[in-house]
Amino acid sequence: MKGLSRDRLWSIAVLLPSILLLAVFVYGFIARTVYVSLTDWGNDPAQALALDPIIRWVGLANYQELFTGFLQGRFRQELVNTIFFTLFFILGCLGLGLGLALVLDRNPRGEGLWRTIFLFPMSLSFIVTGTIWRWMLQPQGGVNQFPNAVGLPAGQFSWLSSTDAVWKFDWNALPLITASVVGLVLILLAVRAARAGDRTRAIVSGLCAALLLGWALFIGPNVRLLPAPELHGFNLALIGIIIAAVWQMSGYTMALYLAGLRGIPEELREAAKVDGASDFGMYRHVIFPLLAPITLSAMIILGHISLKIFDLVYAMTGPDNTYTSVPALNMYLTSFRQNQFALGAAIGTILLILVAFVIVPYLTSSFRGEEGHA
């Protein structure tokens, strides 16, 4: 072809198969899933597995059913479970991983052995981790029997089968809570923009925050998603799953933080000591700020893992424990056990949107950073 060098033609020929496969098997299937979520495929059991099913366009009816339908309380509890699981999973992995990295950074005896021990759980699959921890958290054995070793009575906590919940709230208050949280975030962004001298961004963020908070004060309390109160909260049975997930992934964050600590020039630490900084001051004003990009990267990776969590929950509590279930598990059951393909596709699309909220800003920031350094 005229205008294309031989090297460029070879590049196109090598990349084209991958581009076509991605277009069909990734983005094509995503588009197909979104389309199916806007139909009624599977709502009629007689048509679900028919060779030529009658499929009707229903718009956003499946999404409305998930968020306001009388029979979809399980999905709403799963969303709440996912939020709490993500929050505590990320905090646990970051805190434990940073602590282990700080200890290993002081070059203790047998550092290589300890590093291998801490990293080993990461090599296991979530199914293996779930099976191990399910045995350890049995009500009549495992962790509950530890107090017997020091002469105390055995524990009675139902790690994986508890039905107790804390921090309950009415699902009808969800729009009010969401508007309030987003409004407060916008206020923080407006303050930061004002301090940075970006007047336009500060004004836009401030106006949006005022509108949201005004809506939350005067209109939000009158919005009702359900005809009756429906309480959701943090189920205590999730604690065991969070512990198992943190045990598996904290070694990963430890490795990230340890690499970051080893990459900080010794001259910076010496300069901080010469300026009179204590150990605490050096970590607070020198080391932790330098580790901020690693923390952000770890949060993004752990966040998208937690949003898609499936196998660990399946292995630890099974598919039918509604107190510990997550949207990915519900999507599997809805699509392949109940054959409600449209409703399952709607759950998958919601998961995709949640993951996009985590991944897209990070990718955009990384792309702009690379453009700035180019």
Side-chain angles (χ1 to χ4, degrees):
M1 295 175 63
K2 191 174 181 179
L4 292 177
S5 66
R6 186 173 181 178
D7 289 342
R8 189 173 291 273
L9 286 173
W10 268 112
S11 301
I12 294 174
V14 170
L15 291 175
L16 190 59
S18 299
I19 293 173
L20 290 176
L21 290 173
L22 279 174
V24 173
F25 291 105
V26 177
Y27 299 105
F29 282 1
I30 289 175
R32 176 67 177 172
T33 301
V34 174
Y35 167 74
V36 171
S37 73
L38 302 174
T39 69
D40 68 344
W41 191 11
N43 292 351
D44 181 1
Q47 293 291 324
L49 298 178
L51 290 178
D52 188 16
I54 299 174
I55 300 175
R56 302 180 187 86
W57 178 270
V58 297
L60 299 176
N62 289 317
Y63 298 93
Q64 183 180 2
E65 170 67 16
L66 288 172
F67 284 96
T68 63
F70 177 72
L71 298 177
Q72 298 301 326
R74 170 173 177 162
F75 171 75
R76 294 187 281 274
Q77 179 58 49
E78 289 167 344
L79 277 183
V80 176
N81 286 346
T82 299
I83 292 172
F84 282 115
F85 177 84
T86 301
L87 177 65
F88 291 116
F89 173 60
I90 291 177
L91 289 177
C93 287
L94 293 180
L96 187 57
L98 178 60
L100 294 174
L102 291 175
V103 172
L104 292 181
D105 189 48
R106 293 179 175 274
N107 297 316
R109 180 177 295 180
E111 180 210 332
L113 175 62
W114 290 114
R115 191 170 59 235
T116 304
I117 291 174
F118 295 144
L119 273 174
F120 177 72
M122 187 184 162
S123 65
L124 304 176
S125 71
F126 273 128
I127 290 293
V128 175
T129 298
T131 304
I132 294 171
W133 280 93
R134 188 181 63 193
W135 292 340
M136 294 180 63
L137 299 179
Q138 289 298 312
Q140 303 303 321
V143 174
N144 278 351
Q145 297 299 321
F146 282 170
N148 283 338
V150 292
L152 297 175
Q156 300 296 324
F157 183 62
S158 303
W159 287 96
L160 302 177
S161 57
S162 175
T163 59
D164 297 330
V166 295
W167 304 323
K168 293 181 180 179
F169 68 95
D170 183 4
W171 185 257
N172 285 312
L174 182 66
L176 177 63
I177 295 172
T178 305
S180 301
V181 171
V182 175
L184 292 175
V185 171
L186 287 172
I187 289 176
L188 290 176
L189 293 177
V191 171
R192 288 185 61 181
R195 288 179 178 176
D198 192 340
R199 189 175 177 181
T200 303
R201 181 175 294 183
I203 292 174
V204 172
S205 300
L207 286 175
C208 293
L211 286 173
L212 273 175
L213 293 177
W215 183 90
L217 283 175
F218 300 108
I219 301 177
N222 299 320
V223 174
R224 288 285 181 271
L225 297 176
L226 302 170
E230 184 179 279
L231 296 180
H232 297 282
F234 175 61
N235 282 308
L236 301 184
L238 276 177
I239 294 176
I241 299 174
I242 293 171
I243 291 173
V246 170
W247 176 80
Q248 172 147 6
M249 295 305 297
S250 58
Y252 168 72
T253 52
M254 179 213 69
L256 288 179
Y257 278 126
L258 188 59
L261 289 169
R262 296 286 166 81
I264 296 175
E266 192 62 29
E267 291 79 4
L268 283 177
R269 303 178 193 235
E270 295 295 334
K273 291 180 180 177
V274 170
D275 289 340
S278 62
D279 283 348
F280 177 77
M282 182 175 64
Y283 278 104
R284 180 183 176 187
H285 299 291
V286 178
I287 294 178
F288 288 156
L290 291 173
L291 294 178
I294 293 176
T295 302
L296 177 62
S297 299
M299 288 176 62
I300 298 298
I301 294 169
L302 295 172
H304 97 269
I305 289 175
S306 65
L307 290 174
K308 298 186 302 183
I309 194 75
F310 172 90
D311 37 9
L312 181 65
V313 179
Y314 193 101
M316 293 188 72
T317 61
D320 299 315
N321 187 335
T322 57
Y323 297 101
T324 59
S325 188
V326 289
L329 196 53
N330 192 359
M331 178 184 67
Y332 168 74
L333 297 176
T334 303
S335 300
F336 303 110
R337 181 187 283 180
Q338 303 169 8
N339 297 326
Q340 291 184 288
F341 301 114
L343 204 57
I347 298 174
T349 305
I350 292 171
L351 278 177
L352 176 67
I353 293 171
L354 291 176
V355 173
F357 273 127
V358 175
I359 297 295
V360 171
Y362 174 70
L363 294 179
T364 304
S365 175
S366 300
F367 179 74
R368 287 178 178 173
E370 291 175 2
E371 288 286 311
H373 289 91

